[in-house]
Amino acid sequence: MEALIIPTFNCQLKCRHCFLPEALRKKSVLMEDSEYEFILKKVQEMQDVVNDYGMLFIISGGEPLTVGVKQMGFYLESIRKHFGKVPVNVNTNLLFYNQEFGRLFVEYDVEVEASYDPVGVRFVNHEMEREWERKFKNALDDGVKIRVAITLTRKVLTFDLFRFAEKLGTRHYNMSHFCPLGRGWKNRKEFYVTKKELAFYIMGVLHFQDLFEGLDIHPWKDFPENYHSGGAVDCWGECYNCFAFTPGGDVYFSGFCYSRHPLGNLYRDSLHEILFSEKRVSFIRWKLTRPECIQCEHHFFCRGGCFSLSKVVEDKTTCPGLKPLLDFLSMGRIPEELEGEFYRFIKNSTWMGKYL
């Protein structure tokens, strides 16, 4: 089970591709300590019902570092008190990072995902870009486990990832696909990547990874091994067991991908009403029972694909997953019918073409 806790919606940036619903972004409340403890107790109860393997906490926002070091310490200590040493991620734009946060993240073995999006797609000036890079290098020097988080928008298709990796001194990335939600939906034509382009991008990373020794791109790096071992990957497999918790007790699907409306409220609804709500049941049905997906040879891995990908209206293909990528994983090579198209895509791309 994955619990994404959003203690605040405050953020100093206004990214044009932000997936948070606009109504939530306007809320400036900070989650009370008593409410945070209450949510953790409810997460324990939900975990018993869901009976999902493992537990992952993600502290996000908004910008979570706006709460300050003392408050962040309370969040991390509370998770450890209730759940022991479970994995905890903090998603941040890093611009409020300092050495005190670094000591805290090292003490609690937190993995930080530092979003480069606001900088990398030039929403901000070059001075802020230099500041971001300085903060990132400081975090590395402080011993923090940190990844560069990049959203696979259209901008990334022309982004020189490998030159950037050399400059920054890290090979660790987290790449998530663009979610056409919130502001992202409003500005989707500026950012969307078709499913085939996204599949080709990831196929290129996997196909040519020997060129870039040590490059660690989560979760795509583990796709081949997980595919052949029969395990589902990341949010693709069991995203119906990923939940987001917000101030006031509202519970959403993690990522808000299926509905901008909550599944329920922890103060108003029972866990049974939330976990077996019409929204969640219909989402599971969408994921697991569509005939065209059940009959697909990749269904054991893809589990119905990604709902938010299926919402990109500019890409009219019927498959809600990334079938070219899954065919590549199945065969261990580029499918012949895609080979010419794939190599043209790679050759013409800024991000990799110059290296081949």
Side-chain angles (χ1 to χ4, degrees):
M1 177 176 161
E2 178 182 295
L4 184 147
I5 301 182
I6 299 177
T8 179
F9 293 107
N10 286 339
C11 183
Q12 80 277 42
L13 302 178
K14 295 181 179 180
C15 297
R16 288 170 55 76
H17 71 306
C18 181
F19 67 85
L20 278 180
E22 203 65 35
L24 293 182
R25 288 185 57 87
K26 292 177 181 177
K27 294 182 178 181
S28 59
V29 296
L30 175 65
M31 188 179 285
E32 297 284 344
D33 292 356
S34 57
E35 182 173 57
Y36 186 84
E37 290 274 358
F38 171 74
I39 286 173
L40 291 184
K41 290 175 183 176
K42 289 296 183 180
V43 169
Q44 282 181 315
E45 295 175 29
M46 290 176 74
Q47 189 183 21
D48 292 338
V49 176
V50 169
N51 196 27
D52 190 22
Y53 296 106
M55 186 73 219
L56 169 66
F57 280 94
I58 300 174
I59 301 175
S60 188
E63 170 47 51
L65 300 195
T66 60
V67 303
V69 173
K70 183 179 178 181
Q71 194 67 24
M72 182 62 69
F74 169 76
Y75 296 155
L76 298 175
E77 178 58 31
S78 295
I79 291 174
R80 182 160 292 185
K81 180 178 72 176
H82 288 283
F83 292 89
K85 291 186 177 183
V86 295
V88 179
N89 290 4
V90 171
N91 295 349
T92 170
N93 61 43
L94 207 63
L95 295 173
F96 283 110
Y97 176 84
N98 59 39
Q99 199 170 46
E100 290 181 85
F101 275 120
R103 284 195 289 266
L104 196 63
F105 294 151
V106 171
E107 179 184 352
Y108 287 94
D109 198 28
V110 170
E111 182 163 309
V112 174
E113 293 190 2
S115 175
Y116 187 70
D117 292 343
V119 180
V121 296
R122 296 293 185 270
F123 291 132
V124 295
N125 57 40
H126 289 288
E127 184 179 344
M128 188 176 285
E129 180 179 13
R130 288 190 292 272
E131 176 70 1
W132 188 95
E133 292 176 2
R134 185 179 68 79
K135 299 268 188 178
F136 189 93
K137 290 176 181 178
N138 287 347
L140 282 178
D141 292 341
D142 293 338
V144 176
K145 292 195 297 187
I146 188 167
R147 289 177 177 269
V148 181
I150 297 178
T151 303
L152 289 168
T153 64
R154 179 148 296 281
K155 305 279 187 179
V156 171
L157 298 184
T158 60
F159 179 60
D160 193 341
L161 173 67
F162 305 107
R163 182 199 63 80
F164 175 73
E166 292 298 327
K167 180 175 72 168
L168 204 57
T170 185
R171 295 261 167 167
H172 301 288
Y173 291 85
N174 185 79
M175 286 191 165
S176 55
H177 60 75
F178 165 63
C179 291
L181 308 163
R183 284 193 184 131
W185 176 255
K186 183 180 178 181
N187 301 307
R188 63 191 179 280
K189 290 186 177 180
E190 182 180 347
F191 296 111
Y192 85 94
V193 178
T194 68
K195 282 174 266 188
K196 181 171 280 190
E197 288 173 327
L198 179 57
F200 280 2
Y201 186 102
I202 300 160
M203 285 162 64
V205 170
L206 296 173
H207 189 55
F208 296 107
Q209 61 185 344
D210 290 344
L211 275 176
F212 311 102
E213 187 178 353
L215 198 66
D216 172 18
I217 299 181
H218 178 82
W220 313 110
K221 181 177 72 72
D222 298 325
F223 261 45
E225 180 182 345
N226 285 324
Y227 183 90
H228 293 292
S229 66
V233 172
D234 206 48
C235 70
W236 270 22
E238 296 185 349
C239 49
Y240 42 82
N241 287 341
C242 302
F243 304 94
F245 303 88
T246 66
D250 283 340
V251 182
Y252 296 81
F253 278 117
S254 182
F256 305 88
C257 62
Y258 188 63
S259 174
R260 56 194 174 93
H261 303 293
L263 296 172
N265 184 281
L266 293 175
Y267 295 105
R268 185 184 63 241
D269 305 311
S270 69
L271 288 184
H272 184 275
E273 288 172 320
I274 293 173
L275 291 173
F276 298 96
S277 64
E278 182 182 347
K279 288 188 184 71
R280 185 165 182 263
V281 170
S282 63
F283 180 71
I284 294 174
R285 191 180 297 122
W286 182 89
K287 285 278 294 176
L288 300 181
T289 64
R290 295 193 314 284
E292 66 272 23
C293 285
I294 293 175
Q295 297 164 12
C296 176
E297 63 179 303
H298 306 303
H299 186 258
F300 75 95
F301 182 77
C302 173
R303 308 281 178 91
C306 174
F307 184 81
S308 64
L309 273 180
S310 74
K311 289 177 67 175
V312 181
V313 296
E314 289 83 357
D315 187 2
K316 296 292 186 182
T317 56
T318 56
C319 174
L322 300 174
K323 196 171 188 306
L325 170 63
L326 299 173
D327 288 340
F328 166 77
L329 296 178
S330 175
M331 299 176 186
R333 57 178 173 77
I334 306 296
E336 287 182 14
E337 65 273 18
L338 293 176
E339 203 168 45
E341 192 178 354
F342 168 75
Y343 280 104
R344 277 194 299 276
F345 173 83
I346 294 298
K347 184 178 178 182
N348 294 329
S349 69
T350 304
W351 67 275
M352 185 173 279
K354 68 173 75 171
Y355 296 93
L356 302 178

